[in-house]
């Protein structure tokens, strides 16, 4: 029996307390607490595994029983999952509104339907007509894909049991509600309870459940991080809505690696896979202009070549401006300081702007050398030859440090027509080709000499 007890739960982070607080001690948010009833017994005793499975087993026997994955046929999606969807798993797909979450999961449903793998797609956001219209855009329907518009989780689970699909898609977890709770759909309590029920359903029936979750402004899925602990896989769909490319990443994966990423492009007929992304961001480069250079970066396990641009211009104000788009602002400041201190370039009266072309965000330090070279190229007004490709981390003493996967970066660079590579010294011996020049550098100074040939 539900007792008449309530708790106060932070709507940001899920922190719960018996008393109302003005400020959350966990996330620091102000006036984030809402009252939520506590259901005794039920929520705590959720059993996620069927009884007969709870028995110690020999590890060798367990390891030998293979998991049969359900392959979606969208290679970029399967790759991120580690080879397909594991039956009975609970997968959360997060992303900002309009990024393409509903599109990709409906596509998964359609492909499963065509393969006669029964799928139930439940939308709490769009009508059945809207979902069907989207399916037409994506290339038609199938008898084995069932769609339903509903938000009451009990009804959904009853229907799911009756239909008995292999895959259940819930779009989105924030629109679902559990009638036992008095709070509105989307509140932390509702999201948590609904996820717990779906988890129980997935583990008890072996049906794989895919949840869509909206992310908050600061990029957290559904606010409470609790969700991420409950599910088996957390996928994040990223991209800039002004550009067509989308990147799917695994933030957590109990069945595979979190290094892989899937790259798509959003087109009129839905999301298309980009299986060879290396040259995706290299269109329309004006190689005669100073302040531009190509860096070899890694997206997951695959290299992508990215154009870094810098503009160094005399500041009209007393305080020089520094901005960075697509690259860490603090690292730009650090690189400027290294160039000032170790290379005698005085940026004190110059504004410095750094931009990564194509709307992609580069977080790896391996791009340091490219950013530094772009800044120097603009500062000295000297263009960089178009066949040059660089990568390497720059340390505070001006040393160029080794980065991962040098061979992959170079191989893909060669395929794209680059023939002069400025790379960190100590990158293991790479196979020699007389048409390819590989210059290994120890310091930024050495790298700049090689790039600008002085
Ligand atoms: P959607 O999947 O509804 O996003 P989410 O569920 O993450 O909120 O995608 C919406 C966007 O995708 C919308 O702006 C239109 C675009 N889109 C296409 O460009 N092509 C298509 O075939 C489809 C279905 C959507
Ligand atoms: Mg949607």
């Amino acid at each position: 029996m539900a007792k008449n007890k309530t708790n106060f739960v932070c709507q940001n982070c899920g922190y719960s307390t018996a008393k109302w607080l003005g400020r959350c001690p966990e996330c620091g948010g102000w006036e984030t607490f809402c009252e939520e009833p506590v259901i005794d017994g039920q929520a705590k005793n959720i059993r996620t595994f069927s009884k007969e499975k709870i028995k110690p087993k020999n590890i060798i026997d367990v390891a030998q029983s293979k998991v049969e994955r359900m392959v979606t046929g969208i290679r970029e999606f399967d790759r991120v999952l580690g080879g397909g969807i594991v039956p009975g798993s609970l997968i959360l797909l997060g992303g900002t509104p309009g990024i393409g979450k509903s599109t990709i999961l409906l596509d998964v449903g359609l492909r499963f339907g065509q393969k006669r793998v029964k799928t139930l797609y439940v939308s709490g956001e769009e009508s059945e007509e809207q979902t069907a219209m989207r399916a037409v855009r994506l290339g038609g329907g199938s008898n084995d894909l069932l769609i339903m518009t509903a938000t009451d989780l009990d009804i959904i689970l009853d229907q799911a049991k009756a239909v008995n699909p292999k895959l259940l898609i819930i779009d989105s977890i924030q629109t679902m509600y559990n009638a036992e709770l008095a709070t509105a759909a989307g509140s932390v309590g509702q999201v948590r309870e609904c996820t717990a029920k779906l988890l129980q359903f997935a583990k008890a029936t072996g049906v794989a459940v895919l949840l869509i979750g909206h992310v908050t402004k600061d990029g957290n899925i559904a606010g409470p991080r609790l969700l991420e602990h409950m599910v088996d896989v957390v996928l994040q769909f990223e991209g800039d809505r002004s550009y067509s490319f989308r990147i799917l990443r695994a933030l957590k994966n109990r069945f595979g690696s979190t290094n892989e990423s899937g790259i798509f492009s959003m087109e009129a007929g839905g999301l298309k896979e980009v299986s060879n992304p290396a040259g995706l961001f290299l269109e329309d480069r004006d190689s005669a202009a100073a302040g531009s250079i190509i860096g070899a970066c890694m997206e997951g396990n695959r290299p992508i070549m990215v154009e870094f641009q810098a503009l160094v211009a005399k500041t009209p104000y007393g305080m020089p401006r520094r901005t960075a788009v697509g690259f860490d602002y603090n690292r730009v400041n650090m690189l400027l300081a290294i160039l000032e201190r170790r290379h005698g370039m005085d940026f004190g009266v110059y504004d410095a702007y750094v931009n990564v072309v194509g709307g992609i965000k580069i977080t790896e330090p391996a791009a340091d050398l490219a950013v530094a070279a772009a800044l120097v190229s603009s500062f000295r007004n000297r263009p960089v030859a178009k066949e040059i490709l660089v990568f390497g981390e720059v340390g505070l003493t001006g040393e160029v440090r080794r980065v991962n996967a040098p061979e992959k970066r170079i191989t893909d660079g060669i395929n794209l027509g680059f023939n002069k590579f400025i790379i960190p010294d100590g990158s293991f011996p790479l196979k020699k080709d007389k048409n390819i020049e590989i210059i290994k550098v120890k310091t930024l100074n050495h790298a700049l000499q090689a790039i600008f040939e002085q």
Side-chain angles (χ1 to χ4, degrees):
M1 257 262 303
K3 277 193 200 157
N4 232 0
K5 213 172 116 191
T6 57
N7 252 354
F8 293 90
V9 180
C10 171
Q11 300 294 301
N12 257 350
C13 67
Y15 183 84
S16 124
T17 148
K19 265 195 335 210
W20 188 85
L21 296 175
R23 185 170 192 238
C24 175
E26 185 84 8
C27 69
W30 290 95
E31 293 194 25
T32 51
F33 282 90
C34 274
E35 204 171 352
E36 282 180 5
V38 178
I39 303 171
D40 269 352
Q42 266 195 342
K44 286 187 197 127
N45 292 334
I46 285 176
R47 209 178 63 222
T48 54
F49 296 95
S50 55
K51 239 182 190 165
E52 57 273 20
K53 279 193 189 159
I54 308 174
K55 199 162 49 178
K57 297 185 187 83
N58 192 321
I59 190 164
I60 299 164
D61 299 339
V62 179
Q64 278 170 351
S65 66
K66 261 215 179 136
V67 197
E68 277 292 325
R69 291 175 187 258
M70 301 187 283
V71 176
T72 66
I74 307 174
R75 278 197 316 273
E76 294 292 298
F77 190 76
D78 291 331
R79 170 211 301 281
V80 177
L81 286 171
I85 298 174
V86 174
S89 63
L90 183 62
I91 302 168
L92 176 65
L93 172 68
T96 48
I99 206 76
K101 302 182 294 297
S102 307
T103 307
I104 194 168
L105 292 196
L106 188 62
D107 199 7
V108 169
L110 285 167
R111 287 180 189 239
F112 270 4
Q114 275 149 16
K115 283 199 248 175
R116 311 225 58 123
V117 178
K118 202 187 258 181
T119 304
L120 175 58
Y121 185 103
V122 182
S123 179
E125 304 195 336
E126 284 163 290
S127 67
E128 282 144 16
E129 290 75 18
Q130 278 172 313
T131 307
M133 257 161 59
R134 190 192 303 251
V136 171
R137 273 184 90 167
L138 299 180
S142 142
N143 283 340
D144 283 300
L145 173 62
L146 300 163
I147 57 173
M148 177 166 95
T149 295
T151 53
D152 184 331
L153 197 66
D154 283 330
I155 297 178
I156 293 167
L157 290 181
D158 283 348
Q159 289 302 323
K161 278 173 199 147
V163 167
N164 193 23
K166 289 267 188 283
L167 175 68
L168 171 65
I169 299 171
I170 303 284
D171 183 1
S172 64
I173 189 67
Q174 277 92 359
T175 54
M176 299 297 141
Y177 75 93
N178 180 351
E180 289 158 11
L181 293 187
T183 47
S187 71
V188 173
Q190 284 286 6
V191 168
R192 190 179 47 214
E193 288 311 313
C194 290
T195 309
K197 275 199 161 180
L198 286 160
L199 176 68
Q200 188 184 16
F201 172 78
K203 300 301 170 192
T205 58
V207 175
V209 179
L210 261 167
L211 304 176
I212 288 180
H214 294 292
V215 297
T216 54
K217 277 193 266 34
D218 45 4
N220 286 338
I221 292 173
R225 311 258 1 187
L226 304 158
L227 263 194
E228 301 188 12
H229 299 294
M230 288 161 84
V231 300
D232 296 310
V233 181
V234 180
L235 304 177
Q236 177 104 310
F237 212 22
E238 298 169 8
D240 187 325
R241 283 183 64 187
S242 344
Y243 297 93
S244 65
F245 77 90
R246 301 281 182 269
I247 299 179
L248 185 72
R249 287 183 222 281
L251 304 184
K252 160 181 175 179
N253 192 350
R254 286 186 180 147
F255 312 110
S257 140
T258 50
N259 277 336
E260 290 288 2
S261 63
I263 302 181
F264 300 87
S265 111
M266 177 62 96
E267 281 162 28
L271 286 156
K272 297 278 170 292
E273 301 169 49
V274 180
S275 38
N276 189 7
L280 185 64
F281 298 99
L282 280 191
E283 292 148 26
D284 310 327
R285 181 185 174 222
D286 179 6
S287 58
S292 152
I293 189 166
I294 310 293
C297 303
M298 295 298 283
E299 177 50 63
N301 285 326
R302 289 177 298 179
I304 44 167
M305 308 308 152
V306 179
E307 180 181 349
F308 292 85
Q309 291 182 340
L311 180 65
V312 178
K314 258 225 155 81
T315 178
Y317 313 107
M319 271 280 282
R321 279 171 64 100
R322 275 94 174 79
T323 63
V325 178
F327 191 71
D328 183 18
Y329 173 79
N330 291 323
R331 276 198 102 77
V332 170
N333 281 329
M334 184 194 85
L335 292 167
L336 285 169
I338 295 169
L339 289 170
E340 282 206 24
R341 190 64 208 272
R342 314 251 164 225
H343 300 271
M345 294 177 208
D346 185 5
F347 289 97
V349 290
Y350 292 97
D351 291 339
Y353 306 91
V354 170
N355 178 36
V356 180
V357 177
I360 187 165
K361 288 189 179 56
I362 301 296
T363 50
E364 59 164 358
D368 287 352
L369 189 52
V371 173
L375 285 164
V376 172
S377 164
S378 177
F379 185 75
R380 295 187 181 158
N381 201 18
R382 296 201 42 189
V384 177
K386 69 173 194 306
E387 59 276 357
I388 291 183
L389 186 70
V390 303
F391 59 86
E393 178 179 348
V394 177
L396 286 178
T397 60
E399 82 276 23
V400 175
R401 309 180 69 96
R402 265 185 298 170
V403 297
N404 65 334
E407 198 162 21
K408 278 189 187 166
R409 296 180 205 245
I410 292 177
T411 311
D412 277 31
I414 294 173
N415 291 341
L416 285 165
F418 294 93
N419 60 24
K420 184 170 173 184
F421 298 84
I422 320 290
I423 70 168
D425 192 32
S427 306
F428 56 87
L430 296 142
K431 67 172 184 293
K432 294 231 159 47
D433 183 329
K434 61 180 184 323
N435 300 319
I436 307 292
E437 195 181 354
I438 294 178
I439 303 170
K440 296 184 182 178
V441 295
K442 274 199 171 68
T443 62
L444 183 54
N445 205 4
H446 189 179
L448 294 174
Q449 277 170 17
I451 295 167
F452 298 102
E453 283 176 347
Q454 316 149 322

